[in-house]
Amino acid sequence: MLCERCGQRPATVHFTEITNGHKRETHLCEVCAGEIQPQGFGFPPQLFLHNFLAGILNQELGGGNFGWPESAGNKCEKCGLAESQFAKQGLLGCGDCYPYFEEKLLPLFRRIHGNTRHTGKVPARTGGRARLVKEIENLKRLLKEAVSREEFERAAQLRDSIRQLERGLEEGGGA
Amino acid sequence: MTLRETVNNAHSHWMDADGPESEIIISSRVRVARNLAGIPFPHLLNKENSEKVIHAVRLAISNKEASELLGGLELSSLGELSPLERQILVDKHLISPDLLNDFQRKAVVLREDEVVSIMVNEEDHLRIQCILPGLQLKEAWDVVNRVDDGLEKTLDYAFSEKVGYLTSCPTNVGTGMRASVMIHLPGLKLAKQLAGVLNAINKLGLTVRGLYGEGTEALGDLFQISNQITLGQSEEEIINNLISIARQILAQEQAARRNLYKDRREVIEDRVFRAFGALKYARILSSEEAMRLFSDLRLGVEMKIISGIPVRLLNELMVKIRPAFITKMAGRELTPYQRDIFRAGLIRREFANLPV
Ligand SMILES: [Zn+2]
Ligand SMILES: [Zn+2]
């Protein structure tokens, strides 16, 4: 068997990875294995993530070119990345690719992550608006809890805070 | 310590083996991917833009408010280092092998104690990582989070309200976070329970990774368990999930070891002392064989079958026996066969000084 990376030397090192019940094997020559993953596990190597992505695209969306038709006109306006290029490499070109290819990406996110919505950290400065939204969601949850425990005074306070934040959001603030 | 000194010293804090559960869990690592708004991702970067990113990071780490938060960080472009020095950073797990491709456009930021490193222009503009010994995922996330906050005072990140931090590869979008533990599981392997355990845990959005040499044995019985999902779960949820699973595996490994010791005490002892003998006296050692022997010996140390061998030494040797370090110590290029001889000599010398 030849190395999957260089296609030149015999594969003598075999990586095995199990994800969500799927076993994936990668066969590499010693040189490529050394370059990709030093013994003792440095980083989760990119190779595996890309394999994983390619696997999903191929398996779920119908093989070949990730199932995306070659349409030359479809390019991110900001960085110029074409849809077909993304399909080949699995890498996006810039932050603006995300809204631009959103329709294609959402099903992909669902496949990879089982989800399409971020619920984690929000950057303090550049994520101002998102931070407000998150804070409001949080307060609404507390409000529900307060109501169910019949803590009406606290519920009223929470309702006021939510209103205030929502006003800030409408004024386009939060930054 | 300057970056050059870092490279010349085999030791890193993660090797200290002084963290919680560090007899079985070797290290914990958290990494987040970040990109700058308005600049193409690294695989589309021209030289000018890649310098712009490096410059922006240089400014960000020198920001007064940030540097108080971050501690002493030093940025070096990879082009300043020799090929050997670059490889040693990889062997010490401070940078990824991918950072070596097209290295003229890349840079690395290291904190003095090597607990924090930031890769610049790898697959994403920034990859901030922290490695700590033992099971310390929460602590590692705290460190990364703080560094991230510090950098964000200056840098505009590519972020979307809907899908979070925007990354080159859609497998990282959202939190951009990968958290992992490196875990040593010789007991489960000897008890032939490994496959079952690994299969059971990977149904939970986690990835288990083993490195196999010829045949089917995982080299050094080391496994890396990391999160696969980065979108739709908060950083804390991802970390807590990983911690609880790591604890379950840990408990199973401990149970397997107890049973082995009870039922097959001589077999285990024989294995441990054979490994010790081979490491102490062998004249030719491949890195694969050395890793296997380290694993057996580590098991003996952890089960207190043998004493006087610091785990820290075994962690350090895992890095020192790599070809790059051997080449550096030898001071010249060696053939693989010469390296095997040099490796055996190096280990023999370290073992000669032990009180065993
Ligand atoms: Zn190869
Ligand atoms: Zn784009």
Side-chain angles (χ1 to χ4, degrees):
Chain A
M1 188 193 305
L2 282 179
C3 168
E4 285 175 13
R5 187 158 172 264
C6 64
Q8 288 173 352
R9 291 171 287 261
T12 54
V13 180
H14 314 283
F15 297 89
T16 301
E17 182 172 34
I18 317 171
T19 301
N20 303 332
H22 295 290
K23 195 166 168 183
R24 182 182 305 286
E25 289 186 19
T26 309
H27 309 280
L28 301 172
C29 71
E30 215 165 301
V31 176
C32 290
E35 282 170 12
I36 279 171
Q37 186 170 28
Q39 277 162 23
F41 301 84
F43 284 72
Q46 315 281 288
L47 179 78
F48 290 103
L49 286 178
H50 294 165
N51 271 358
F52 174 70
L53 178 63
I56 286 174
L57 289 167
N58 280 315
Q59 192 184 323
E60 308 287 346
L61 304 175
N65 208 4
F66 296 161
W68 290 12
E70 195 97 26
S71 51
N74 233 348
K75 277 182 192 295
C76 165
E77 281 152 14
K78 194 76 184 241
C79 70
L81 183 92
E83 201 176 300
S84 57
Q85 208 177 337
F86 170 66
K88 249 176 231 136
Q89 300 180 330
L91 290 177
L92 293 156
C94 73
D96 290 281
C97 287
Y98 277 88
Y100 192 79
F101 294 121
E102 186 174 21
E103 228 173 283
K104 300 273 175 151
L105 288 173
L106 289 181
L108 190 57
F109 295 158
R110 214 166 281 127
R111 287 285 172 211
I112 300 171
H113 303 286
N115 218 311
T116 58
R117 187 137 196 125
H118 178 61
T119 55
K121 181 175 178 179
V122 172
R125 207 163 43 81
T126 46
R129 211 186 125 82
R131 188 162 272 244
L132 269 185
V133 171
K134 204 178 159 189
E135 178 65 20
I136 291 171
E137 275 168 16
N138 197 19
L139 289 177
K140 282 186 175 161
R141 193 173 43 79
L142 292 176
L143 174 62
K144 216 183 238 171
E145 283 170 18
V147 170
S148 74
R149 281 198 300 265
E150 304 191 356
E151 294 169 0
F152 296 116
E153 203 170 319
R154 168 141 175 79
Q157 282 169 0
L158 286 166
R159 197 170 296 127
D160 288 346
S161 312
I162 292 169
R163 272 196 199 129
Q164 203 178 345
L165 288 178
E166 279 176 341
R167 220 170 297 135
L169 207 56
E170 276 161 29
E171 285 157 14
Chain B
M1 217 190 286
T2 66
L3 187 102
R4 189 135 271 137
E5 285 163 337
T6 293
V7 165
N8 286 315
N9 178 357
H11 189 72
S12 271
H13 176 53
W14 67 263
M15 300 169 193
D16 282 340
D18 57 359
E21 320 293 357
S22 46
E23 70 281 11
I24 291 174
I25 296 178
I26 294 173
S27 61
S28 298
R29 177 175 31 192
V30 172
R31 176 220 86 186
V32 297
R34 300 287 184 255
N35 286 286
L36 305 186
I39 302 180
F41 296 150
H43 72 107
L44 293 183
L45 273 191
N46 56 26
K47 190 145 178 36
E48 191 192 328
N49 270 328
S50 63
E51 275 159 16
K52 214 161 148 188
V53 174
I54 293 175
H55 184 68
V57 175
R58 203 187 286 277
L59 282 181
I61 60 174
S62 57
N63 169 298
K64 193 168 166 292
E65 209 180 334
S67 64
E68 274 164 21
L69 208 59
L70 307 181
L73 294 174
E74 187 190 346
L75 183 143
S76 317
S77 40
L78 284 212
E80 295 165 19
L81 303 171
S82 74
L84 204 55
E85 288 170 329
R86 288 194 287 270
Q87 184 57 45
I88 287 170
L89 288 177
V90 173
D91 289 349
K92 294 180 83 174
H93 306 175
L94 297 172
I95 64 173
S96 75
D98 289 307
L99 203 69
L100 301 188
N101 304 330
D102 204 5
F103 61 81
Q104 297 291 3
R105 296 178 178 195
K106 299 174 186 180
V108 58
V109 177
L110 278 185
R111 200 167 85 179
E112 280 180 339
D113 57 4
E114 299 181 25
V115 164
V116 176
S117 58
I118 306 170
M119 292 188 279
V120 185
N121 289 334
E122 205 233 32
E123 189 178 280
D124 295 293
H125 291 144
L126 286 102
R127 287 196 159 179
I128 308 165
Q129 85 148 1
C130 171
I131 316 184
L132 292 172
L135 183 58
Q136 298 195 71
L137 284 166
K138 271 198 181 114
E139 293 76 1
W141 160 241
D142 284 345
V143 171
V144 166
N145 196 16
R146 222 173 316 131
V147 173
D148 184 42
D149 287 343
L151 294 174
E152 204 236 330
K153 290 189 187 303
T154 313
L155 301 175
D156 281 343
Y157 286 150
F159 180 84
S160 131
E161 283 180 39
K162 288 183 196 155
V163 293
Y165 292 93
L166 305 176
T167 52
S168 276
C169 185
T171 54
N172 290 317
V173 74
T175 59
M177 184 175 85
R178 301 254 165 228
S180 69
V181 290
M182 201 209 292
I183 188 162
H184 184 223
L185 303 175
L188 287 170
K189 193 191 75 189
L190 282 169
K192 302 215 183 316
Q193 292 168 1
L194 196 53
V197 172
L198 298 186
N199 270 318
I201 55 166
N202 76 62
K203 301 213 163 91
L204 303 152
L206 297 178
T207 298
V208 185
R209 191 172 295 130
L211 170 58
Y212 295 78
E214 287 294 356
T216 54
E217 304 236 311
L219 275 189
D221 302 321
L222 291 172
F223 293 86
Q224 181 173 295
I225 298 165
S226 54
N227 64 304
Q228 187 71 59
I229 291 167
T230 56
L231 182 63
Q233 293 180 355
S234 70
E235 291 80 358
E236 288 75 15
E237 285 170 319
I238 293 170
I239 299 261
N240 287 336
N241 185 28
L242 194 52
I243 290 174
S244 93
I245 287 157
R247 287 203 179 283
Q248 287 172 39
I249 302 171
L250 182 81
Q252 305 225 33
E253 170 68 17
Q254 282 164 334
R257 289 179 183 193
R258 272 194 304 274
N259 287 333
L260 284 168
Y261 198 64
K262 205 170 70 206
D263 301 342
R264 291 153 66 191
R265 179 174 176 162
E266 291 74 19
V267 176
I268 303 297
E269 285 181 349
D270 184 63
R271 227 183 145 93
V272 171
F273 285 103
R274 270 172 194 275
F276 179 67
L279 288 165
K280 189 162 178 174
Y281 296 109
R283 280 352 197 213
I284 304 171
L285 275 177
S286 69
S287 57
E288 195 170 324
E289 185 179 9
M291 287 294 283
R292 205 165 51 234
L293 295 170
F294 287 152
S295 173
D296 288 348
L297 187 56
R298 179 190 288 270
L299 178 67
V301 173
E302 291 159 0
M303 291 177 74
K304 306 204 168 30
I305 292 169
I306 188 167
S307 61
I309 300 164
V311 172
R312 174 196 149 115
L313 174 68
L314 298 178
N315 285 343
E316 227 174 78
L317 280 173
M318 283 195 325
V319 171
K320 275 192 181 165
I321 61 157
R322 303 269 309 144
F325 239 95
I326 290 199
T327 308
K328 196 177 92 61
M329 281 183 286
R332 65 194 168 94
E333 279 297 323
L334 301 175
T335 65
Y337 181 64
Q338 288 171 327
R339 275 206 299 267
D340 289 354
I341 294 172
F342 192 97
R343 179 178 295 115
L346 165 79
I347 295 172
R348 222 162 50 233
R349 279 193 302 281
E350 294 277 4
F351 273 57
N353 300 326
L354 293 175
V356 186

